[in-house]
Amino acid sequence: MLCMIPLTLPSPARGEGKIRSRRMDPKKRSMDPAVQEMLRQIAEAGIETAWDRLEAQEPSCGFGQLGLCCRVCNMGPCRIDPFGEGPQRGVCGADADTIIARNFLRAVAAGASAHSDHGRGVAHTFLAMARGEAPDYGIKDRKKLLALAKEWGIKTEGREDKAVAEELGELAVAEFGKPHGTQRMANRAPPPRKAIWERLGILPRAIDQEVVEALHRTTMGVDQDYRNILRHASRCSLADGWGGSMIATELQDIMFGTPQPTRGEINLGVLKADEVNLVVHGHEPLLSEMVALASSMPELLSEAKKAGAKGITVAGICCTANELLVRHGIPVAGNFLSQEAAIATGAVDLMCVDVQCIMQGLAELVKCFHTKLVTTSEKARIEGVEHVAMEEARALEVGKAIVRKAIESFKNRRGPVHIPKDKGEAVVGFSHEAINYMLGGRFRASYRPLNDNIINGRIRGVAGVVGCTNPKMTQDLSHTTLVRELIKRDVLVVTTGCAQIACGKQGLLTPEAAELAGPGLREVCETVGIPPVLAVGSCVDNSRVLVACAEMVREGGLGEDLSDLPVAGACLEHITEKAISIGQYFVASGVLVVFAKKLFPVMPGSKVAKYLLEEIAEEVGGKWAVEDDPVKAADLICAHIEAKRDALGINRERERKLYGMEDRQKLQV
Ligand code: XCC
Ligand code: SF4
């Protein structure tokens, strides 16, 4: 039996008659058999999960869903009646579009803040490393250090690496709050793209400034033109994608290594009944790298053995997991909606969390098991949960202390554990450097072969499928259905975040998955030996996709700007404000982005919807689209890709060969 709580133990949801999970079909909640299995166990034990709490919240507030609720000042909260019968203005006179746009911009600002504050943390640790103040960190990718230094105009000849790194670290830290100038990383965008940003006045300045300005503009009585508000959403999001997130990715690569194709395993089946299981959950690799390192040290392994364990397994959840997976092949226990299921196995001895996507429900849940929960970031404590502060000056010591706590906790295991067998094999780690190398070879590493295969039509285009798993949708279903549809139609998929984990569980990240691809994509994958779905990393690693797109343009043959490329992005199970920021920076970079209609926080038919779904394309080339059905989302993406191919003039051959008139008409948007 999985849950060791006797029936008398206070369980968060018992006694209210609220637990309906016994009757809910786990298959509707998740398509992941491992999670389904755990949900059945959890239901029997009467423990609540995010799905139960969602039910308790239903019906969710319709005003909030449509972005029509405003509580930015104390004359409110105000809400606009979407049916036009009740109030159409807030007390200050704000109309529906001002309110929706303000909420949207605030979401972007919050999302950009999360990624960028992560990036700032990395930059500070990087600087401390260079100054010798964080001795457990070092430079793993010297080539990347020198390349980035050169890009940023730092002298490298005849200098110590650490001196170069110190200067780089200082410039990186300054990107967040410098009083003048714009984001350095934005120079990576093709010149026509930068020109568009300049013309619109949305070239991003210091990250902090964009976020502060976003909050200022959206206070009561400031910006009251939805277009003007949303243009700032573009600017603020660009400071995330071409700023905070990209800095996080680059500096992490220098310190921890740039991902190269490596094997990994994904799903709850990676936990081991006879080993100490330590789960790292959250987003920042700064500490989890140290925990992973500590777990392989002989002294700790022998302590684990003394405690009766065969070894120590470190597994990840959410983007911390993705960071460790793509760099070191460290196993992944699951994505966002698997975090409670992991604990319910009774096999997790310790879960250490840093920032973002940590359910507060975990604190109650662990009371039902022997699992020890530990917070590590000063920014993210949980009431009643032990805090082991991450300190960069003695990071490995902290990592070791956490592993020791896991070993201690292993000794408290009560009875048998229940670990589902499911796990997917995966080949991961497709940084843009790795894509370069895989496709171009060591001596002529370039995007030429990718571009050529797009031009000759074997690959129709590239789609990014990214983001969360939301209990309002069946876990993993939309992501993986979309991915399967896309590869079937010869669209190469790149993936990050919880979508990446979803794909990994189902074996879509293996070269063998090429069997599921259309003939063109399959041929390319088999020739090069890559999966049809390339695992790129965590959510800040969406910046890698921006860089890859910029490289595709630079390589030539696919237009002059990002908006010319036959590419698109999608996130059909989004939860967080971070996802909105990511979506907006792809749109502002010239890309079509598809989100689920029922999760998009904008009232259909509003002026804001018209702007984001249509008019914005005239300004930045990219736009949003909304679609709940993943197959129809694939239709949308493919139609967009074919339209871009038509515009590039690379469709002629293929049209004659493979597309009848009827097919072509279907593809036209
Ligand atoms: Fe969180 Fe990054 Fe979303 Fe997953 S995908 S639920 S943000 S862990 Ni980033
Ligand atoms: Fe209401 Fe205007 Fe205040 Fe918003 S800003 S709460 S709409 S009065």
Side-chain angles (χ1 to χ4, degrees), residues 70-78 90-92 94 99 102 220:
C70 181
R71 36 178 285 274
V72 303
C73 94
N74 214 23
M75 293 189 285
C78 302
V91 179
C92 67
I99 292 173
R102 280 200 302 223
M220 192 273 286

Side-chain angles (χ1 to χ4, degrees), residues 283 318-319 336 357 467-468 497-498 539 575-576 578:
H283 281 75
C318 283
C319 284
F336 177 79
C357 301
C468 323
C498 288
C539 291
I575 314 175
T576 65
K578 293 179 279 177

Side-chain angles (χ1 to χ4, degrees), residues 115 281-283 317-320 322 335-337 339 356-358 466-470 479 496-501 538-540 542 571 573-579 582:
H115 290 142
H281 172 19
H283 281 75
I317 286 186
C318 283
C319 284
T320 288
N322 288 319
N335 47 15
F336 177 79
L337 280 178
Q339 58 186 283
Q356 302 171 25
C357 301
I358 322 290
V466 309
C468 323
T469 53
N470 189 320
H479 288 315
T496 60
C498 288
Q500 168 175 294
I501 299 174
S538 66
C539 291
V540 293
N542 283 309
C571 176
E573 302 181 35
H574 106 267
I575 314 175
T576 65
E577 293 155 314
K578 293 179 279 177
I582 293 168

